[in-house]
Amino acid sequence: MSTFALPATLLRRAARSLSALAAVVASVLAFLALVVLTDGAGSGLAAWLPVLAGGTALALWRSRSRDRERDRGRSRARAARLVPFLPVVVAAALTAPVCVPTVPTARQYPPDLPFVATEHWSLDTGSSVAVYHYPPAGPGPRHPVPLVYLNGGPVRGISLLDHRFLQLLAGQGYDVYAYEQPGGGRSGLLPMDQYTADRSVRDLGAFVDRLGAGAVDVLGFSSGAVVLTRALADPGTAARVHRAVIAEPGPMDGPTARTAGHQGRESARGLAPDPTGPRSTHVPRYAVAFGLMRLGLLSPGTGLIGQAEGDNAFTAADLGGDTASAYCARDAHRIPVEDSARNFSFSPAASLRVQRTVRDSASIAPQLGRSRTPAMLMIAECSSQVRQWATAVLAADPAIQRTQFMPGVGHHMWNGLDGNNDRAAAVIGAFLQEQPAPLPNSPTREGIPAFLRDHE
């Protein structure tokens, strides 16, 4: 054998291996590109089948080319014919799991809670919502105006931590109602194109009408505060609101969402231990689907995974550092468990859809400037929200009577730590009962520039 024969053979084999690897990578990338181009049609099969067919056709062509050029024995030639198909098989095996559901594709709702009845109300908007009622309790006076709670998310179930706070408010004499937005928790689903910020406002008005108690007080938290703010800019819905508590709002409209700004004091994001429990994003199908949706490469109504399947798959651990970002840095190693796996519910696709309708909406500042509904704004010291999201509401709404800057807490202000629930309840109660504020009125409208400068 020639001195150069062995190295030449090794080089040919290495070249073939690299060629095979390149073919696998190209097939996977082609699959992902087709998933994006087809918006995941047919659970991804509209992308998988063409890639498989194209790869097989290319392998057949390469196999026949090698047959014409072979110069070895027939037995070796038969084995060689199969080599071009190996990258096709590997690529098909890598991409096929993206097309196969691993959770039920029909919505699996959380079981009923043991401490409060779940009612199901059909609203005039066509939405079916899960409703929870905490009647007034405790030895103190009963407050005559019902209090409606709008939770954050958007399109997330009400956490057990929030339920405990609602029980606290009821124990102070408030007649508390809460409902989960369509698609969240135990509420029914909507067609994907019906998840909009405006639909959420209409649902609030329809819920108050269904309650039949006249105008109500409303406490809106995070994305629920966005719904409440937009409701105050709509005269018809605002007429159903007696007093409004806007707690830690997200962006109220498109211009606000595009505002550059800064957050509050350091949060626990990046400091707290990673959340435990299973993650759907460790499964190829959901890692691809949720990742591409988050990047805007797949629509919320993608054909890759259905809405119900995505809801069933998503877990609390998938939120990653988002939970930690709702707490102050000093609380990083004592963040409470907000929810149980059985109660947790979040619709990633519907949530993205609602957020995009807010981001794409026109300014509501002119309409909000005509609001006459008495309102209070609550801002957390370690807020993970952009400060300008809250100050934009304060600047636009002339009916905001007081602002309460909540020291020592993050975005989730009633979190069960250090008496924070009692402090939040005291601030809310003082405003609803038109009593003196427990905290200074800060920031004022005139003090917004100084607030943004001093609380970076």
Side-chain angles (χ1 to χ4, degrees), residues 16-84:
R16 288 172 184 169
S17 297
L18 289 174
S19 177
L21 178 61
V24 171
V25 172
S27 296
V28 172
L29 292 177
F31 169 74
L32 293 175
L34 282 174
V35 166
V36 172
L37 290 173
T38 62
D39 199 23
S43 195
L45 289 175
W48 189 78
L49 290 175
V51 170
L52 179 63
T56 302
L58 180 61
L60 283 170
W61 177 81
R62 293 181 63 189
S63 179
R64 288 170 182 167
S65 297
R66 288 187 180 184
D67 281 350
R68 289 192 294 269
E69 297 173 359
R70 70 181 182 273
D71 54 4
R72 299 184 180 181
R74 184 171 297 277
S75 61
R76 182 65 179 270
R78 290 196 189 99
R81 289 192 189 103
L82 300 178
V83 172

Coordinates of all heavy atoms in Angstrom, one line a residue, residues 16-84:
R16 N -16.5 13.0 3.9 CA -17.8 12.5 3.8 C -18.6 12.8 5.1 O -19.8 13.1 5.1 CB -17.8 11.0 3.5 CG -17.3 10.7 2.1 CD -17.1 9.2 2.0 NE -16.6 8.8 0.6 CZ -16.1 7.7 0.3 NH1 -16.1 6.7 1.2 NH2 -15.7 7.4 -1.0
S17 N -17.9 12.6 6.3 CA -18.5 12.9 7.6 C -19.0 14.4 7.7 O -20.1 14.7 8.1 CB -17.6 12.5 8.7 OG -17.3 11.2 8.7
L18 N -18.1 15.2 7.3 CA -18.4 16.7 7.3 C -19.6 17.0 6.3 O -20.4 17.8 6.6 CB -17.2 17.5 7.0 CG -16.1 17.6 8.0 CD1 -14.9 18.3 7.5 CD2 -16.6 18.2 9.3
S19 N -19.5 16.3 5.2 CA -20.6 16.5 4.2 C -21.9 16.0 4.8 O -23.0 16.7 4.6 CB -20.3 15.8 2.9 OG -21.4 15.9 2.0
A20 N -21.9 14.9 5.5 CA -23.1 14.4 6.1 C -23.6 15.3 7.2 O -24.8 15.6 7.3 CB -22.9 13.0 6.6
L21 N -22.7 15.8 8.0 CA -23.1 16.7 9.1 C -23.7 18.0 8.5 O -24.7 18.5 9.0 CB -21.9 17.1 9.9 CG -22.1 18.1 11.1 CD1 -23.2 17.5 12.1 CD2 -20.8 18.4 11.8
A22 N -23.1 18.5 7.4 CA -23.6 19.7 6.8 C -25.0 19.5 6.2 O -25.9 20.3 6.3 CB -22.7 20.2 5.7
A23 N -25.2 18.3 5.7 CA -26.5 17.9 5.2 C -27.6 17.9 6.3 O -28.7 18.4 6.1 CB -26.5 16.6 4.4
V24 N -27.2 17.4 7.4 CA -28.1 17.3 8.6 C -28.5 18.7 9.0 O -29.7 19.1 9.2 CB -27.5 16.5 9.7 CG1 -28.4 16.7 11.0 CG2 -27.4 15.0 9.4
V25 N -27.4 19.6 9.2 CA -27.7 20.9 9.6 C -28.5 21.7 8.6 O -29.5 22.4 9.0 CB -26.3 21.7 9.9 CG1 -26.5 23.1 10.1 CG2 -25.6 21.0 11.0
A26 N -28.2 21.5 7.4 CA -29.0 22.2 6.3 C -30.5 21.8 6.3 O -31.4 22.6 6.2 CB -28.4 21.9 4.9
S27 N -30.7 20.5 6.6 CA -32.1 20.0 6.6 C -32.8 20.6 7.8 O -34.0 21.0 7.7 CB -32.1 18.5 6.7 OG -31.5 17.9 5.5
V28 N -32.2 20.6 9.0 CA -32.8 21.2 10.2 C -33.1 22.7 10.0 O -34.2 23.1 10.3 CB -31.9 21.0 11.4 CG1 -32.5 21.7 12.6 CG2 -31.8 19.5 11.7
L29 N -32.2 23.4 9.4 CA -32.4 24.8 9.2 C -33.5 25.0 8.1 O -34.3 26.0 8.3 CB -31.1 25.5 8.7 CG -30.0 25.6 9.7 CD1 -28.7 26.2 9.1 CD2 -30.5 26.4 10.9
A30 N -33.5 24.2 7.1 CA -34.6 24.3 6.1 C -36.0 24.0 6.7 O -37.0 24.6 6.4 CB -34.3 23.3 5.0
F31 N -36.0 23.0 7.6 CA -37.2 22.7 8.3 C -37.7 23.9 9.2 O -38.9 24.3 9.1 CB -37.0 21.5 9.3 CG -38.1 21.2 10.2 CD1 -39.3 20.7 9.8 CD2 -38.0 21.6 11.6 CE1 -40.4 20.5 10.7 CE2 -39.0 21.3 12.5 CZ -40.2 20.8 12.0
L32 N -36.8 24.5 9.9 CA -37.2 25.7 10.7 C -37.6 26.8 9.9 O -38.6 27.5 10.2 CB -36.0 26.1 11.6 CG -35.6 25.1 12.7 CD1 -34.4 25.6 13.5 CD2 -36.8 24.9 13.7
A33 N -37.0 27.0 8.7 CA -37.4 28.1 7.8 C -38.7 27.9 7.3 O -39.6 28.8 7.2 CB -36.3 28.2 6.7
L34 N -39.0 26.6 6.9 CA -40.4 26.3 6.4 C -41.4 26.4 7.5 O -42.6 26.8 7.2 CB -40.4 24.9 5.8 CG -39.7 24.8 4.4 CD1 -39.7 23.3 3.9 CD2 -40.6 25.6 3.4
V35 N -41.1 26.1 8.7 CA -42.0 26.2 9.8 C -42.4 27.7 9.9 O -43.6 28.0 10.1 CB -41.4 25.8 11.2 CG1 -42.2 26.3 12.4 CG2 -41.3 24.3 11.2
V36 N -41.5 28.6 9.8 CA -41.7 30.0 9.8 C -42.6 30.5 8.6 O -43.6 31.2 8.8 CB -40.4 30.8 9.9 CG1 -40.7 32.3 9.8 CG2 -39.7 30.6 11.2
L37 N -42.2 30.0 7.4 CA -42.9 30.4 6.2 C -44.3 29.9 6.2 O -45.2 30.6 5.6 CB -42.1 29.9 5.0 CG -40.7 30.6 4.7 CD1 -40.0 29.9 3.6 CD2 -40.9 32.1 4.4
T38 N -44.5 28.7 6.7 CA -45.9 28.2 6.7 C -46.6 28.5 8.0 O -47.8 28.0 8.1 CB -45.8 26.6 6.5 OG1 -45.1 26.1 7.6 CG2 -45.1 26.3 5.2
D39 N -46.0 29.2 8.9 CA -46.6 29.5 10.2 C -47.0 28.2 10.9 O -48.0 28.1 11.6 CB -47.8 30.4 10.1 CG -48.2 31.1 11.4 OD1 -47.3 31.2 12.3 OD2 -49.3 31.5 11.6
G40 N -46.1 27.2 10.8 CA -46.3 26.0 11.5 C -47.5 25.1 11.0 O -48.0 24.3 11.8
A41 N -48.0 25.3 9.8 CA -49.2 24.7 9.3 C -49.1 23.2 9.5 O -48.1 22.5 9.4 CB -49.4 25.0 7.9
G42 N -50.3 22.6 9.9 CA -50.4 21.1 10.0 C -49.6 20.6 11.1 O -49.0 19.5 10.9
S43 N -49.4 21.3 12.2 CA -48.6 20.8 13.3 C -47.1 20.7 12.9 O -46.4 19.9 13.5 CB -49.1 19.5 13.9 OG -48.6 19.3 15.2
G44 N -46.7 21.4 11.9 CA -45.3 21.3 11.5 C -45.1 20.4 10.3 O -44.0 20.4 9.7
L45 N -46.1 19.6 10.0 CA -45.9 18.6 8.9 C -45.8 19.2 7.6 O -45.1 18.7 6.7 CB -47.1 17.6 8.9 CG -47.2 16.6 10.1 CD1 -48.4 15.8 10.0 CD2 -45.9 15.7 10.1
A46 N -46.3 20.4 7.4 CA -46.2 21.1 6.1 C -44.8 21.6 5.9 O -44.4 21.8 4.8 CB -47.1 22.4 6.1
A47 N -44.0 21.6 6.9 CA -42.5 21.9 6.8 C -41.7 20.6 6.8 O -40.7 20.4 6.0 CB -42.0 22.8 7.9
W48 N -42.1 19.6 7.6 CA -41.3 18.4 7.7 C -41.4 17.5 6.5 O -40.3 17.0 6.0 CB -41.9 17.6 8.9 CG -41.1 16.4 9.3 CD1 -39.9 16.4 10.0 CD2 -41.3 15.0 9.1 NE1 -39.4 15.1 10.2 CE2 -40.3 14.3 9.6 CE3 -42.3 14.4 8.4 CZ2 -40.2 12.9 9.6 CZ3 -42.3 13.0 8.3 CH2 -41.2 12.2 8.9
L49 N -42.6 17.4 5.9 CA -42.7 16.5 4.7 C -41.9 17.0 3.5 O -41.2 16.2 2.9 CB -44.2 16.3 4.4 CG -45.0 15.5 5.4 CD1 -46.4 15.5 5.0 CD2 -44.4 14.1 5.4
P50 N -41.9 18.3 3.1 CA -41.1 18.7 2.0 C -39.6 18.5 2.3 O -38.8 18.2 1.4 CB -41.4 20.2 1.9 CG -42.8 20.3 2.5 CD -42.8 19.3 3.6
V51 N -39.2 18.8 3.5 CA -37.7 18.6 3.8 C -37.4 17.1 3.7 O -36.3 16.8 3.1 CB -37.4 19.1 5.2 CG1 -36.0 18.7 5.6 CG2 -37.5 20.6 5.2
L52 N -38.2 16.3 4.2 CA -38.0 14.8 4.1 C -38.0 14.4 2.6 O -37.1 13.6 2.2 CB -39.1 14.0 4.8 CG -38.9 12.5 4.8 CD1 -37.6 12.1 5.5 CD2 -40.1 11.9 5.5
A53 N -38.9 14.9 1.9 CA -39.0 14.5 0.4 C -37.8 15.0 -0.3 O -37.2 14.3 -1.1 CB -40.3 15.0 -0.2
G54 N -37.4 16.3 0.0 CA -36.3 16.9 -0.7 C -35.0 16.2 -0.4 O -34.1 15.9 -1.2
G55 N -34.8 15.8 0.9 CA -33.6 15.1 1.4 C -33.5 13.8 0.7 O -32.4 13.3 0.4
T56 N -34.6 13.1 0.7 CA -34.7 11.7 0.1 C -34.3 11.8 -1.4 O -33.6 11.0 -1.9 CB -36.1 11.1 0.3 OG1 -36.4 11.0 1.7 CG2 -36.1 9.7 -0.3
A57 N -34.9 12.8 -2.1 CA -34.6 12.9 -3.5 C -33.1 13.2 -3.8 O -32.5 12.6 -4.7 CB -35.4 14.0 -4.1
L58 N -32.5 14.1 -2.9 CA -31.1 14.4 -3.1 C -30.3 13.1 -2.7 O -29.3 12.9 -3.4 CB -30.7 15.5 -2.1 CG -29.3 15.9 -2.1 CD1 -28.9 16.4 -3.5 CD2 -29.0 17.0 -1.1
A59 N -30.7 12.4 -1.7 CA -29.9 11.1 -1.4 C -30.0 10.1 -2.5 O -29.0 9.5 -2.8 CB -30.5 10.5 -0.1
L60 N -31.1 10.0 -3.2 CA -31.2 9.1 -4.3 C -30.3 9.5 -5.4 O -29.7 8.7 -6.1 CB -32.7 9.0 -4.8 CG -33.7 8.2 -4.0 CD1 -35.1 8.5 -4.4 CD2 -33.3 6.7 -4.1
W61 N -30.3 10.8 -5.7 CA -29.4 11.3 -6.8 C -28.0 11.0 -6.5 O -27.2 10.6 -7.3 CB -29.6 12.8 -7.0 CG -28.7 13.4 -8.0 CD1 -28.9 13.4 -9.3 CD2 -27.5 14.1 -7.7 NE1 -27.9 14.0 -10.0 CE2 -27.0 14.5 -9.0 CE3 -26.8 14.4 -6.6 CZ2 -25.8 15.2 -9.1 CZ3 -25.7 15.1 -6.7 CH2 -25.2 15.5 -8.0
R62 N -27.6 11.3 -5.2 CA -26.2 11.0 -4.8 C -25.8 9.5 -4.9 O -24.7 9.1 -5.3 CB -25.9 11.6 -3.4 CG -26.0 13.1 -3.3 CD -25.7 13.6 -1.9 NE -24.3 13.2 -1.5 CZ -23.9 13.4 -0.3 NH1 -24.7 13.8 0.7 NH2 -22.7 13.1 0.0
S63 N -26.8 8.7 -4.5 CA -26.5 7.3 -4.5 C -26.3 6.8 -5.9 O -25.4 6.0 -6.2 CB -27.7 6.5 -3.8 OG -27.5 5.2 -3.9
R64 N -27.2 7.3 -6.8 CA -27.0 6.8 -8.2 C -25.7 7.3 -8.8 O -25.1 6.7 -9.6 CB -28.2 7.3 -9.0 CG -29.5 6.5 -8.7 CD -30.7 7.2 -9.3 NE -31.9 6.5 -8.9 CZ -33.1 6.9 -9.1 NH1 -33.3 8.1 -9.7 NH2 -34.2 6.2 -8.7
S65 N -25.3 8.5 -8.4 CA -24.0 9.1 -8.9 C -22.9 8.2 -8.5 O -21.9 7.9 -9.2 CB -23.8 10.5 -8.4 OG -24.8 11.4 -9.0
R66 N -22.9 7.8 -7.2 CA -21.9 6.9 -6.7 C -21.9 5.6 -7.4 O -20.8 5.0 -7.6 CB -22.0 6.8 -5.2 CG -21.7 8.0 -4.4 CD -21.7 7.8 -2.9 NE -21.3 9.0 -2.2 CZ -21.2 9.0 -0.9 NH1 -21.3 8.0 -0.2 NH2 -20.9 10.2 -0.3
D67 N -23.1 5.0 -7.7 CA -23.1 3.8 -8.4 C -22.4 3.8 -9.7 O -21.7 2.9 -10.1 CB -24.6 3.4 -8.6 CG -25.2 2.8 -7.4 OD1 -24.5 2.5 -6.4 OD2 -26.5 2.6 -7.3
R68 N -22.6 4.9 -10.4 CA -21.9 5.1 -11.7 C -20.4 5.2 -11.6 O -19.7 4.8 -12.5 CB -22.5 6.3 -12.5 CG -23.9 6.1 -12.9 CD -24.4 7.2 -13.9 NE -24.4 8.5 -13.2 CZ -25.5 9.0 -12.7 NH1 -26.6 8.3 -12.7 NH2 -25.5 10.2 -12.1
E69 N -20.0 5.7 -10.5 CA -18.5 5.9 -10.3 C -17.8 4.8 -9.5 O -16.6 4.9 -9.3 CB -18.3 7.2 -9.7 CG -18.8 8.4 -10.5 CD -18.7 9.7 -9.7 OE1 -18.3 9.7 -8.5 OE2 -19.1 10.8 -10.2
R70 N -18.6 3.8 -9.0 CA -17.9 2.9 -8.1 C -16.9 2.0 -8.9 O -17.0 1.7 -10.0 CB -19.0 2.0 -7.5 CG -19.6 1.0 -8.4 CD -20.7 0.2 -7.6 NE -21.3 -0.8 -8.5 CZ -22.3 -0.6 -9.2 NH1 -22.9 0.6 -9.3 NH2 -22.9 -1.6 -10.0
D71 N -15.8 1.7 -8.1 CA -14.8 0.9 -8.7 C -14.4 -0.2 -7.7 O -13.3 -0.8 -7.8 CB -13.5 1.7 -9.0 CG -13.1 2.5 -7.8 OD1 -13.6 2.3 -6.7 OD2 -12.1 3.3 -8.0
R72 N -15.3 -0.6 -6.8 CA -15.1 -1.6 -5.9 C -16.1 -2.8 -6.1 O -16.9 -2.7 -7.0 CB -15.2 -1.1 -4.4 CG -14.2 0.0 -4.2 CD -14.2 0.5 -2.8 NE -13.2 1.5 -2.5 CZ -13.0 2.1 -1.4 NH1 -13.7 1.8 -0.3 NH2 -12.1 3.1 -1.2
G73 N -15.9 -3.8 -5.2 CA -16.8 -4.9 -5.3 C -18.3 -4.6 -5.1 O -18.6 -3.7 -4.5
R74 N -19.1 -5.5 -5.6 CA -20.5 -5.3 -5.6 C -21.0 -5.3 -4.1 O -21.9 -4.5 -3.8 CB -21.2 -6.4 -6.4 CG -22.7 -6.3 -6.5 CD -23.3 -7.3 -7.4 NE -22.8 -7.0 -8.8 CZ -23.3 -6.1 -9.6 NH1 -24.3 -5.4 -9.3 NH2 -22.8 -6.0 -10.8
S75 N -20.5 -6.1 -3.2 CA -21.0 -6.2 -1.8 C -20.7 -4.8 -1.2 O -21.6 -4.3 -0.4 CB -20.3 -7.3 -1.1 OG -18.9 -7.1 -1.0
R76 N -19.6 -4.2 -1.4 CA -19.3 -2.9 -0.8 C -20.2 -1.8 -1.4 O -20.6 -0.9 -0.8 CB -17.8 -2.6 -1.1 CG -17.4 -1.2 -0.5 CD -17.5 -1.3 1.0 NE -17.0 0.0 1.6 CZ -15.8 0.3 1.9 NH1 -14.8 -0.7 1.7 NH2 -15.4 1.4 2.5
A77 N -20.5 -2.0 -2.7 CA -21.4 -1.0 -3.4 C -22.8 -1.0 -2.8 O -23.4 0.1 -2.7 CB -21.4 -1.3 -4.9
R78 N -23.3 -2.2 -2.4 CA -24.6 -2.2 -1.8 C -24.7 -1.4 -0.5 O -25.6 -0.7 -0.3 CB -25.1 -3.7 -1.6 CG -25.3 -4.4 -2.8 CD -26.1 -5.7 -2.5 NE -26.2 -6.6 -3.6 CZ -25.4 -7.6 -3.8 NH1 -24.4 -7.9 -3.0 NH2 -25.5 -8.4 -4.9
A79 N -23.7 -1.6 0.3 CA -23.6 -0.8 1.6 C -23.5 0.7 1.3 O -24.1 1.5 2.0 CB -22.5 -1.3 2.4
A80 N -22.7 1.0 0.3 CA -22.4 2.4 0.0 C -23.7 3.1 -0.4 O -23.8 4.3 -0.3 CB -21.3 2.5 -1.0
R81 N -24.6 2.3 -1.1 CA -25.8 3.0 -1.5 C -26.6 3.6 -0.4 O -27.4 4.5 -0.6 CB -26.7 2.0 -2.3 CG -26.1 1.5 -3.6 CD -27.2 0.7 -4.4 NE -26.6 0.1 -5.6 CZ -26.3 -1.2 -5.7 NH1 -26.6 -2.0 -4.7 NH2 -25.8 -1.6 -6.8
L82 N -26.5 3.0 0.8 CA -27.3 3.5 1.9 C -26.7 4.7 2.6 O -27.4 5.4 3.3 CB -27.4 2.4 3.0 CG -28.1 1.1 2.5 CD1 -28.1 0.0 3.6 CD2 -29.5 1.4 2.0
V83 N -25.4 5.0 2.4 CA -24.7 6.1 3.1 C -25.4 7.4 2.8 O -25.6 8.2 3.8 CB -23.2 6.1 2.7 CG1 -22.6 7.3 3.3 CG2 -22.5 4.8 3.2
P84 N -25.7 7.8 1.6 CA -26.4 9.1 1.4 C -27.7 9.3 2.1 O -28.1 10.4 2.3 CB -26.6 9.1 -0.1 CG -25.6 8.2 -0.7 CD -25.5 7.1 0.3

